[in-house]
Amino acid sequence: MSDLLPPEIVALALRVVGENARHGRRVATAESCTGGLVAAALTEIPGSSAVLDRGFVTYSNEAKREDLDVPNEIIETFGAVSIACVWAMAQGALKNSNADVAVAISGIAGPDGGSPSKPVGTVVFARARRGDDGEPEGEMRHFDGGSRSEVRRQATLVALELLLP
């Protein structure tokens, strides 16, 4: 199917594209530690242009503020790897796109950058839906992948799952 990405990522991306296309839903991604892997997985799938509106790779805090309108106070108070930050990223992705649903990812892929409260392998996720004023949907995960690529692979899988209808 794809020589570029692991088969389990491509298989899940195929489901995301197919199921969202059937629902007439467009998606956007706001990625930090995954560096665009979620959007890349979706674009591996023929017909993804009917589903993927756009992807934001906002690796720096400045990019999160400028491209996704994440308030500086959130980054200063909670940090970039926080539910508050990814929720704001997901909301910003919706605001700055034509998507119906957005997923946001931020984390510490390693091998450096961890702390006792947020060790390497800590990744936070949020999903926002247009017109949904309910409680923010977010979660923090701790991946023990042993490598930067393994943390990013696992984070990509979780983010794709969040894009399923």
Side-chain angles (χ1 to χ4, degrees):
M1 191 178 231
S2 167
D3 295 329
L4 186 62
L5 297 168
E8 67 275 14
I9 288 178
V10 175
L12 187 51
L14 182 63
R15 279 187 58 209
V16 169
V17 169
E19 292 183 27
N20 280 290
R22 278 192 291 285
H23 285 86
R25 233 170 61 150
R26 299 199 33 99
V27 304
T29 64
E31 302 181 63
S32 187
C33 68
T34 49
L37 283 172
V38 179
L42 295 173
T43 60
E44 277 292 289
I45 308 305
S48 59
S49 59
V51 171
L52 180 62
D53 180 63
R54 68 193 73 193
F56 298 90
V57 177
T58 54
Y59 209 69
S60 70
N61 290 342
E62 182 179 58
K64 290 172 181 64
R65 288 189 298 266
E66 291 175 2
D67 297 348
L68 299 173
D69 308 314
V70 175
N72 195 48
E73 299 76 43
I74 286 179
I75 294 171
E76 287 180 359
T77 304
F78 303 104
V81 181
S82 66
I83 298 291
C85 184
V86 289
W87 175 245
M89 288 169 65
Q91 291 291 336
L94 281 183
K95 178 183 168 197
N96 294 295
S97 75
N98 298 309
D100 302 297
V101 63
V103 66
I105 312 104
S106 185
I108 304 160
D112 303 318
S115 69
S117 62
K118 294 177 186 173
V120 168
T122 301
V123 183
V124 287
F125 303 88
R127 174 178 51 202
R129 293 184 180 97
R130 191 170 302 283
D132 186 359
D133 296 325
E135 286 295 306
E137 292 182 60
E139 65 178 298
M140 179 179 286
R141 297 272 189 104
H142 298 280
F143 299 118
D144 181 22
S147 74
R148 180 177 181 82
S149 358
E150 182 57 19
V151 170
R152 294 175 75 223
R153 184 190 71 77
Q154 291 178 61
T156 299
L157 288 167
V158 170
L160 286 167
E161 287 271 350
L162 289 171
L163 288 172
L164 289 169

